[in-house]
Amino acid sequence: MSAAATPAARLTRSSTLRLVGLVAAVFLAAALVIAVAVWTTVSAYIERRIVDTIRTDLVGLEEVWREGGEAALVRVVERRRGETGPEGHARVRLVVSAAGDKIAGDFAGWPNDLPPTGEVVRFRDPDDGVSYTGVVRRVPGGPDLLVAHDRAEHDAVMKNLARDLGLPIAVALVVALVATLGVGRRLLARVERVNATARAVEAGDLAARVGPSGDDEFGRLAAHVDAMLERIAALMRGVHHLSDQIAHETRTPLARLRARLERARREAEADPTARGAIPALDDAIAESAELIAVFAALLDIARTEAAAGDARGLAPVDLAEVVADVVDLYEGVAEDRAVILKVATAPAVVVGERMLLTRMLANLVDNAVKFSPEGGTIDVDLETRGGEIRLAVRDRGPGLPEGFEAAAFERFTRAETVAAVPGHGLGLPLVRAVALRHGMKIELERADPGLRVVIRARPAAV
Amino acid sequence: MPMRALIIEDDAVMAAHVAGLLASREFDTEVVGDGAEGLRAAAARPFDLIVTDRMLPGLEGLDMVERLRDLGVPTPVMVVSALGLAGDRVHGLTRGADDYLAKPFSDDEFLARVHALLRRARPEPHPEVILVGDIEIRVKARTVHRGGRHVALSPKEFELLRCLAEHAGRFVPRSLLLERVWKLRFDPQTNVVDVHVSRLRGKIDDGFDGTVIRSARGEGYMLSADEP
C-alpha cells in the first residue's frame, strides 16, 4: 500500500497539519489574552504594593518628625540614604522645608516642582534620567516629605513574571501540539484506511473492504463504505448471472435461426427450381451473422465489465508482445491504406488476460487505421515512466467532435462525422470494459490533428 | 467404416442440426440430451468425436469433459456453447476440451473445426510435405514451391497457406485462420485476414492464371486442389 510509502509527504498535504496549525493559533491567542490579563493585574498589584510601601515609609518618617523633630528626621533620612529594594533598585527620600529648601535626602533639589498633594506621582530625575514612582506629603506644621522608588523595581518584578509565565505556556503549547498531532494522525490513519480501500476497488479489487473500525463517525463511515461495496458486488454478481442467462436464452434461438437459414440455403442449392432464393438466403445469413456479432460484442462487454476485480485467469503479460502481435496483424491493412504504423515499445509487464488485452489494442489500432487519412502516421507508444505503464495510440484522423469524449465510451454511440465508416460503436466500449477489468485508466486526448488514446496501467509486481 | 460421433445437446433443434451436419460428412451420430447420460455413453462406447453443449441438465458440459479425461477417455471433444468469451474458451480448453466453438456458429465453421480436430487427433505423424495441385509445401523446411518455382513467403503467410492446405478443398472460416495463424480468439473489426490472404494470393498466383485461393461466401477461404 502506498499509504505508508511517503508519510511525510502525505502529512504536509493532509488535514492533520492544518489541524495542528489551527490548534496552535487558537492556543496562542488564548494564551495571549490570559497573559495580557495576568500582566495588567500583576502590574497594578505590584504598583499598589510599591505605593503602600512608600506610604508606610512616609507615615514612619512623619512619626519620627513628630517625636524627635527635624533633627531626628534628618538623622533617619541620612542614615537610610542609598537604601535599595529587594532587586537592588534605589529607594530615595527627600526632606524639604515648607519654603522649598532641601533639608536632607537623596536629591539635590525638589524634582519637577511636585506639589505636596499626597497623590502618587511619576517623575524622571533630571540629573540621571531614572524614572521614579513616589508620593509627596506635607507634614502638618512641618516640612514636605518625598519618598520614591526606582520604577525599574516594578519592571524587574514584571520581567521575572514574564519568565515564570513564559515557560509553562511554552510547555503547554508543545504538549497541545504533540497531542493534536497524535490525534490527527490517528484520525488520518482511519480515513486513510477508507481511502486505501477505495483505491483498491478503483484498481479493480472489488473484494476490498475497510473492515470493522469502531462505532464513532469514522467507524460508521467505514461501515457505510463497506455496505456500499457489498451492494456493488451483489449488483455485479447479478449482472454476471443475468448476462449468462441472456447468453444462453438468446443465443440458442439465434443459433437455431442461423442453422435453419443454412439448411434452407443447402436445400435451395440442391433444388434447381429454388435457386432464385439463394441471394435472399445469403443476405439473411449475412444479416443474422451481423446480429449475432453485435449481440456477441454486447455480451463480451457486459461480461468483461462484470469480471472487473476478479483476479482469476489473470497472468503476467508483456504489453510489448501484445503490441507486436497487433502490429503484425494490422501492418498489411495499414500498408494497403498507405498508413504508416510507427511503433516504439519497451518491455512492460502487467497482470492481465492476454487475449482481452490484444483485443483491446486491436480495437484501438483498428479505429486508428479506419480514421487515418491516406499517408497518415499512427504512433503506438509503450513506455514505463514514474512507476506507471503508458500505452498510447495516436492517429492523424479527424479526432473527436467537441464534448464527445465521455459519450465515446457508451455503447452504440458514434460521432456523426464518422457515419461513413463502418462499425456499430462497440469498439471503444469494449476497450473501456477491458481497461476496467484490468484496473487500467483510459483517457482520450486531442492531438490536433487526430486523437490519442492513452491507457495507463500499473506494472506487475516483480 | 463410418466414424461415430456423440452429440450431447439438450436443445432438440440444435442437436438435429449438428447431427445433420455430421451425417453429411459420413458420420454415424448418437444424440443424448443430458450431461450425465452423455458421460455414461462416452465412457461405454468408442466414439471418434464428441460434440457437447455446456449448460446441460444432469451434468455441466465441462464437468463432463473433465470426468471423461479423468477416466482416461481420449476422444476429441468439441464444446459448443453460448458462453463464448475468450476467457470461457481458455477455461474450456484447460479443462480438457479440444476445441471450443461459440454459439451461434456457421455450418462451414463447424465442419472446418471438426475436420481440423480429427486431423490433429489422428495418431500418425503429420506429413512432411503437403501437396495441393502444383503447390508443394515443405513443413519442416518452411519452403513453398509452385510448379517447381520457389515462392518466398513471410512466416505468417506460410502459416496461412499451410492452414489452408491442410483443409484443401474445404472452406476455412476466418476465425479458424485467426486462431491458427495469429493465435487470436476474436474477430477484429476490420477484415485484416483478407489483406493477408490477398498478399498471399499475389505471391502464390504470380505468373499463373486465376487464383488458387477462393473466397468462400464472404466468411472464409478455400485452397482448391483442382487448379491445373
Side-chain angles (χ1 to χ4, degrees):
Chain A
M1 197 80 7
S2 63
T6 55
R10 192 168 293 278
L11 189 67
T12 56
R13 274 187 282 119
S14 81
S15 49
T16 306
L17 204 69
R18 286 202 298 277
L19 185 65
V20 170
L22 186 70
V23 167
V26 169
F27 188 91
L28 281 176
L32 198 68
V33 168
I34 293 171
V36 166
V38 168
W39 190 269
T40 41
T41 309
V42 171
S43 175
Y45 173 75
I46 290 172
E47 185 90 30
R48 214 162 54 237
R49 285 287 303 275
I50 288 174
V51 170
D52 283 353
T53 312
I54 290 172
R55 287 192 196 285
T56 311
D57 203 357
L58 278 173
V59 169
L61 290 176
E62 202 178 324
E63 258 166 38
V64 169
W65 178 79
R66 218 179 281 133
E67 283 167 17
E70 194 172 289
L73 177 62
V74 168
R75 220 171 31 248
V76 169
V77 167
E78 287 303 323
R79 197 177 64 230
R80 288 165 71 178
R81 271 186 76 161
E83 192 190 69
T84 58
E87 300 287 334
H89 301 287
R91 291 180 170 180
V92 293
R93 293 172 191 82
L94 186 66
V95 185
V96 183
S97 71
D101 302 319
K102 172 181 172 182
I103 297 169
D106 297 86
F107 287 127
W110 201 237
N112 300 5
D113 300 324
L114 297 167
T117 55
E119 297 293 313
V120 176
V121 289
R122 287 188 187 151
F123 62 92
R124 190 181 288 271
D125 180 354
D127 295 336
D128 57 8
V130 177
S131 293
Y132 292 94
T133 300
V135 176
V136 183
R137 185 180 167 85
R138 172 159 294 175
V139 181
D144 287 349
L145 292 175
L146 163 68
V147 174
H149 287 189
D150 186 343
R151 283 195 61 76
E153 186 176 344
H154 168 269
D155 294 348
V157 174
M158 291 313 288
K159 217 162 102 191
N160 286 345
L161 175 73
R163 194 187 57 218
D164 294 349
L165 260 169
L167 186 66
I169 287 179
V171 168
L173 180 64
V174 168
V175 168
L177 289 185
V178 167
T180 311
L181 197 67
V183 170
R185 288 191 72 154
R186 266 195 60 204
L187 293 185
L188 181 77
R190 296 182 66 189
V191 173
E192 190 47 41
R193 265 176 71 195
V194 177
N195 271 332
T197 308
R199 267 200 305 278
V201 172
E202 199 186 343
D205 178 12
L206 272 183
R209 295 289 181 274
V210 186
S213 181
D215 193 30
D216 55 1
E217 289 86 346
F218 289 98
R220 284 197 292 277
L221 173 67
H224 284 313
V225 167
D226 278 355
M228 205 168 70
L229 291 175
E230 208 53 64
R231 177 103 185 96
I232 290 172
L235 286 173
M236 289 305 238
R237 281 195 296 275
V239 168
H240 203 127
H241 181 70
L242 184 68
S243 64
D244 278 3
Q245 287 298 312
I246 293 175
H248 190 244
E249 297 304 326
T250 320
R251 281 191 160 209
T252 304
L254 280 173
R256 287 184 193 166
L257 172 69
R258 172 91 195 219
R260 286 189 162 134
L261 284 171
E262 298 247 10
R263 194 195 305 161
R265 193 192 184 281
R266 265 203 312 281
E267 284 165 8
E269 250 175 353
D271 178 357
T273 62
R275 292 236 153 168
I278 289 179
L281 285 170
D282 279 346
D283 283 351
I285 288 171
E287 290 289 345
S288 79
E290 183 89 333
L291 176 65
I292 288 161
V294 169
F295 193 72
L298 270 179
L299 269 174
D300 285 353
I301 292 167
R303 296 198 60 210
T304 306
E305 280 177 352
D310 187 350
R312 279 175 300 179
L314 300 187
V317 178
D318 187 352
L319 287 179
E321 288 173 18
V322 171
V323 172
D325 285 354
V326 171
V327 168
D328 182 54
L329 192 65
Y330 276 90
E331 228 160 22
V333 182
E335 221 173 292
D336 275 15
R337 300 197 184 188
V339 172
I340 301 147
L341 269 178
K342 222 167 86 191
V343 182
T345 62
V349 180
V350 297
V351 173
E353 204 177 309
R354 183 173 185 137
M355 198 57 69
L356 278 179
L357 291 170
T358 307
R359 193 170 178 185
M360 173 175 82
L361 184 63
N363 271 1
L364 291 178
V365 173
D366 198 284
N367 272 348
V369 170
K370 269 197 283 200
F371 295 123
S372 276
E374 200 167 304
T377 303
I378 295 170
D379 292 300
V380 182
D381 295 317
L382 174 65
E383 56 177 1
T384 308
R385 211 169 34 187
E388 183 185 63
I389 293 172
R390 195 171 174 277
L391 173 62
V393 179
R394 188 244 165 124
D395 64 45
R396 262 83 176 168
L400 287 177
E402 199 71 50
F404 194 72
E405 286 85 350
F409 291 112
E410 296 301 321
R411 296 161 177 81
F412 299 117
T413 322
R414 306 190 70 218
E416 281 171 23
T417 46
V418 299
V421 180
H424 290 288
L426 291 174
L428 278 182
L430 183 71
V431 168
R432 187 184 60 173
V434 174
L436 195 72
R437 197 236 180 292
H438 290 89
M440 297 174 173
K441 292 209 169 66
I442 180 163
E443 284 156 28
L444 301 179
E445 292 174 2
R446 256 161 224 294
D448 289 324
L451 174 71
R452 182 185 289 115
V453 186
V454 183
I455 309 267
R456 294 173 196 282
R458 279 179 307 172
V462 183
Chain B
M1 188 182 137
M3 290 195 280
R4 292 167 49 79
L6 174 65
I7 300 163
I8 312 170
E9 165 70 82
D10 59 334
D11 183 272
V13 176
M14 283 314 292
H17 182 67
V18 169
L21 283 176
L22 289 175
S24 76
R25 290 291 154 89
E26 317 294 321
F27 270 92
D28 276 349
T29 58
E30 184 177 333
V31 175
V32 298
D34 178 285
E37 209 178 309
L39 178 64
R40 272 196 296 280
R45 296 183 284 284
F47 287 97
D48 298 291
L49 173 72
I50 297 170
V51 179
T52 180
D53 191 13
R54 269 191 67 178
M55 293 189 220
L56 286 166
L59 190 62
E60 207 266 350
L62 288 184
D63 291 342
M64 193 273 301
V65 175
E66 212 167 49
R67 295 276 294 278
L68 211 55
R69 295 303 184 227
D70 287 346
L71 293 171
V73 178
T75 315
V77 174
M78 168 159 345
V79 175
V80 177
S81 171
L83 303 176
L85 207 61
D88 296 323
R89 289 171 156 152
V90 173
H91 185 54
L93 298 185
T94 53
R95 290 187 66 188
D98 297 279
D99 199 1
Y100 194 110
L101 184 59
K103 274 187 199 170
F105 49 83
S106 80
D107 293 358
D108 291 327
E109 168 138 32
F110 177 77
L111 290 173
R113 284 182 179 277
V114 167
H115 180 73
L117 198 55
L118 294 175
R119 198 179 168 284
R120 257 188 301 166
R122 231 172 279 147
E124 69 258 34
H126 291 181
E128 157 71 357
V129 181
I130 308 173
L131 293 171
V132 182
D134 55 355
I135 301 170
E136 186 185 306
I137 303 166
R138 294 188 173 271
V139 177
K140 270 197 189 132
R142 299 181 74 84
T143 57
V144 175
H145 290 81
R146 182 163 182 205
R149 206 171 68 195
H150 177 253
V151 183
L153 296 180
S154 74
K156 283 287 186 302
E157 286 162 353
F158 178 85
E159 287 301 324
L160 199 54
L161 181 66
R162 178 182 165 188
C163 187
L164 288 169
E166 282 172 358
H167 297 80
R170 289 169 186 272
F171 170 89
V172 185
R174 276 199 202 95
S175 58
L176 194 63
L177 291 173
L178 277 165
E179 194 182 316
R180 283 295 152 75
V181 179
W182 287 275
K183 314 277 177 264
L184 294 183
R185 310 262 351 193
F186 64 91
D187 211 354
Q189 298 174 45
T190 304
N191 279 328
V192 285
V193 178
D194 299 358
V195 176
H196 287 276
V197 169
S198 94
R199 274 160 195 255
L200 174 61
R201 263 189 195 137
K203 289 181 181 176
I204 201 96
D205 294 336
D206 189 26
F208 295 88
D209 287 336
T211 178
V212 285
I213 304 170
R214 286 188 219 149
S215 300
R217 295 180 39 202
E219 283 195 24
Y221 294 93
M222 185 191 289
L223 182 68
S224 354
D226 49 29
E227 275 297 303

